Amino acid sequence: MLMQFENPFVDKQRDICLWEDGNSQLVAIAGLMILELGEDIAGILWFRVAPQTQNNLETQILEWGEKRMGEVGRERNVKIKLLSGGHSDNVERIALLALLHECCDRNFSPERS
C-alpha cells in the first residue's frame, strides 16, 4: 500500500484520503490510481479499513472515490470509470461491491453533474 504514495499516477493532494476516529486515530485510508485507457480514464480505487471499525466507512470511501473521479471527468472532459475489487477471501468487501454494482450506476461521463 505504501508504494501507492510514490506512483506517478497518484496526486498525493487529491487522490489519497484518510479517515480518523473521534480520538484522531487512523481507521481507514483510500487512494485512486488514475490511468488513461484510450479515450477513457479509469480510477482504480484501493482502500483499507481497520478491522475494529464499525461505521460503514467502506460506503463513505466509495462515495469519495466517485466524487473524485467525477472531478477528473469534468476537468478532462472524458468518460471515466471507477474500478475496485477485493481478494477472494474478503467476502464482505466483495458483497458490498456487488450490491453497489447492482443498485447503482458507477460510471460517470462529463455531462453528468
Side-chain angles (χ1 to χ4, degrees):
M1 181 171 46
L2 294 176
M3 292 179 356
Q4 299 296 335
F5 291 110
E6 300 306 320
N7 191 309
F9 297 105
V10 175
D11 178 337
K12 293 177 185 127
Q13 299 299 313
R14 301 190 306 166
D15 298 341
I16 296 173
C17 191
L18 306 174
W19 282 262
E20 296 179 340
D21 65 12
N23 298 320
S24 299
Q25 297 295 311
L26 183 65
V27 293
I29 183 170
L32 282 165
M33 262 193 330
I34 301 173
L35 308 170
E36 293 186 26
L37 303 173
E39 295 180 11
D40 296 339
I41 293 184
I44 301 171
L45 176 67
W46 54 267
F47 58 96
R48 298 285 183 267
V49 177
Q52 72 276 12
T53 305
Q54 303 273 326
N55 57 2
N56 277 343
L57 278 181
E58 290 88 353
T59 302
Q60 291 178 35
I61 290 168
L62 291 169
E63 290 170 352
W64 168 80
E66 290 177 343
K67 180 180 175 187
R68 176 66 187 119
M69 287 306 296
E71 293 169 358
V72 170
R74 287 186 295 278
E75 288 170 4
R76 300 183 191 183
N77 197 32
V78 295
K79 289 184 180 181
I80 59 171
K81 295 179 182 182
L82 177 61
L83 308 172
S84 191
H87 293 284
S88 60
D89 62 344
N90 193 336
V91 177
E92 291 175 1
R93 180 179 294 188
I94 291 171
L96 172 67
L97 293 172
L99 177 65
L100 291 173
H101 177 72
E102 287 177 14
C103 74
C104 306
D105 178 5
R106 294 303 194 213
N107 294 319
F108 297 89
S109 61
E111 56 272 4
R112 291 188 187 178
S113 58

